[in-house]
Amino acid sequence: MSLHVMEEANRCLQCKKPRWQQGCPIHTNIPEVIRLLKDGKLNDAGWMLFENNPLTTVCSLVCDHEKQCEGHCVRGIKDTPVHFSVIENYISTTFANQMVAGPAPSNGRKVAIIGAGPAGLTIAIILARYGYSVTIYDSRDKIGGVMRYGIPDFRLPDSVLDDIAYRHLELKGIRFRPNTHIGSAITIDDLFRDGVQSVFVGAGLWKPRQLHIKGESLGHVTFAINYLESPEAFRLGEHVMIIGSGNSAMDCARTAVRQGARYVTVVNRRDVIAASQYESSYAKLEGVSFMMLKYPLEIREDGIVLADSEITAEGKAKPIPGTEKLYPCTGVIIAASQELESNLVTTTKGID
């Protein structure tokens, strides 16, 4: 751990109007959590974190802290913000080892959760607290969704998700049915037929967003979500170029380095990196280079055709004619976000 937890906790000013609680999407009561820790009530602090957010161990590692909680800390105006991510990780992982409670008393109602990603897991755990009989269905063999198959292990270890599977699912009596794609052999109507009274659909955003340029189907090209799921399956050579600059692009870049690429380049249409400063700084530290204001026009067998780009008055990037140039590379990863892939909504009558 890079920062001493109690030293960070003692830096908290206990603001009467905590700005960083406003920056947290789920409004974690950060000052109270820190106060409990400083008073020696670690278990109470841990209980508060898990009651507010069942995935607190995950969020302590992969949230965009610099734009959310820590980015709103008043200390950060003139100094370094209090690193609550470190405090949260220590409390949540320590308290998690003591979470051994069994299922809540049954309320007699059955619920089906489609998708074992962050949304599905959170809903399942909260419903189980109220006595619902919960079954989670997922097309993959383990829980986690994008957390397991879209975030590298060096950022979010699988052991964190395995611990959630044990403490939140197995101990609480939540059933998990793996390798089951709802919408093919089993439909939502089948779930209702078999006694389910409510269904939550959290199928995730697994469909890669295309650039719609020539060359996206070539053999040395892949999409970020596919690459991160099993990077060892791809042979992209020693010079990999990544189109996009979000956190997924940084994950791809750092993974490519670990897979043996000697040169890794991030191509960005804009002059500002979309990823957090924390993630992009790690990528730079590991040898990843960045090409800013470059607009991809075509992918070829021997590289990418890029043009210089400019930002319009409307804030959009567009290529500058006459600046096209081929930049050689051996592999290309397209990291332009994802969208809904599941056809559950369109194929299930009455779901609207």
Side-chain angles (χ1 to χ4, degrees):
M1 191 172 292
S2 59
L3 296 169
H4 193 281
V5 173
M6 291 310 298
E7 287 181 356
E8 281 303 295
N10 288 329
R11 294 181 63 232
C12 178
L13 299 175
Q14 290 290 308
C15 302
K16 292 183 178 180
K17 292 184 178 180
R19 296 173 71 246
W20 61 358
Q21 188 172 350
Q22 301 169 10
C24 174
I26 53 175
H27 305 293
T28 302
N29 193 342
I30 296 173
E32 181 64 10
V33 169
I34 292 177
R35 187 191 67 78
L36 289 169
L37 175 65
K38 292 171 65 175
D39 288 348
K41 300 177 181 179
L42 186 147
N43 286 352
D44 291 340
W47 183 87
M48 177 175 285
L49 285 173
F50 277 100
E51 281 295 299
N52 182 65
N53 175 17
L55 301 184
T56 178
T57 51
V58 172
C59 291
S60 70
L61 295 172
V62 298
C63 263
D64 193 353
H65 303 106
E66 67 185 55
K67 292 181 181 178
Q68 296 175 355
C69 56
E70 295 173 12
H72 286 73
C73 175
V74 69
R75 273 196 173 276
I77 297 176
K78 295 183 178 180
D79 193 9
T80 303
V82 177
H83 291 90
F84 180 67
S85 55
V86 175
I87 299 172
E88 181 183 18
N89 183 258
Y90 171 73
I91 296 173
S92 60
T93 53
T94 304
F95 180 71
N97 293 324
Q98 304 179 47
M99 298 175 66
V100 294
S106 174
N107 66 10
R109 297 180 67 85
K110 294 176 64 176
V111 176
I113 306 293
I114 301 174
L121 290 176
T122 301
I123 294 294
I125 294 166
I126 291 174
L127 290 176
R129 291 174 182 170
Y130 291 95
Y132 288 88
S133 174
V134 180
T135 300
I136 304 175
Y137 301 84
D138 198 273
S139 60
R140 288 171 170 80
D141 62 336
K142 294 182 179 180
I143 70 157
V146 70
M147 296 183 294
R148 184 184 295 272
Y149 298 103
I151 300 179
D153 194 66
F154 58 79
R155 274 226 294 145
L156 178 60
D158 286 348
S159 59
V160 175
L161 300 172
D162 294 338
D163 190 68
I164 290 173
Y166 171 65
R167 301 190 186 280
H168 287 298
L169 304 192
E170 294 179 29
L171 291 180
K172 298 292 188 294
I174 298 174
R175 290 180 173 175
F176 173 56
R177 181 164 170 173
N179 299 326
T180 303
H181 183 79
I182 303 298
S184 55
I186 297 177
T187 66
I188 289 181
D189 289 334
D190 292 332
L191 299 178
F192 286 121
R193 179 201 63 195
D194 293 340
V196 165
Q197 289 151 303
S198 297
V199 176
F200 174 80
V201 180
L205 304 175
W206 290 100
K207 182 180 179 181
R209 184 168 292 167
Q210 292 181 270
L211 296 175
H212 298 290
I213 62 175
K214 185 177 179 181
E216 284 185 281
S217 67
L218 295 176
H220 65 305
V221 181
T222 185
F223 294 100
I225 194 69
N226 304 131
Y227 179 72
L228 291 172
E229 184 171 353
S230 53
E232 65 283 349
F234 294 88
R235 298 292 182 266
L236 300 181
E238 65 174 18
H239 188 178
V240 178
M241 298 186 77
I242 296 150
I243 302 174
S245 68
N247 281 342
S248 289
M250 299 305 113
D251 287 343
C252 289
R254 298 177 65 194
T255 299
V257 170
R258 286 160 174 77
Q259 289 296 311
R262 294 181 61 192
Y263 311 99
V264 179
T265 305
V266 169
V267 177
N268 188 18
R269 293 183 297 179
R270 301 178 177 276
D271 56 355
V272 177
I273 298 172
S276 68
Q277 192 275 332
Y278 182 80
E279 294 301 327
S280 61
S281 64
Y282 265 116
K284 292 175 182 177
L285 186 65
E286 294 173 12
V288 177
S289 60
F290 289 76
M291 295 178 64
M292 310 298 286
L293 289 172
K294 295 294 182 181
Y295 201 102
L297 299 176
E298 180 184 351
I299 302 172
R300 297 179 182 174
E301 294 285 357
D302 54 351
I304 308 177
V305 177
L306 302 173
D308 294 341
S309 63
E310 60 181 353
I311 309 301
T312 66
E314 294 77 24
K316 296 183 178 181
K318 71 172 187 178
I320 300 175
T323 61
E324 301 87 355
K325 180 182 175 182
L326 176 66
Y327 292 82
C329 68
T330 57
V332 178
I333 301 174
I334 300 170
S337 189
Q338 291 85 235
E339 54 193 9
L340 184 66
E341 179 183 45
S342 175
N343 60 1
L344 275 175
V345 175
T346 57
T347 60
T348 304
K349 295 181 179 179
I351 200 171
D352 54 341

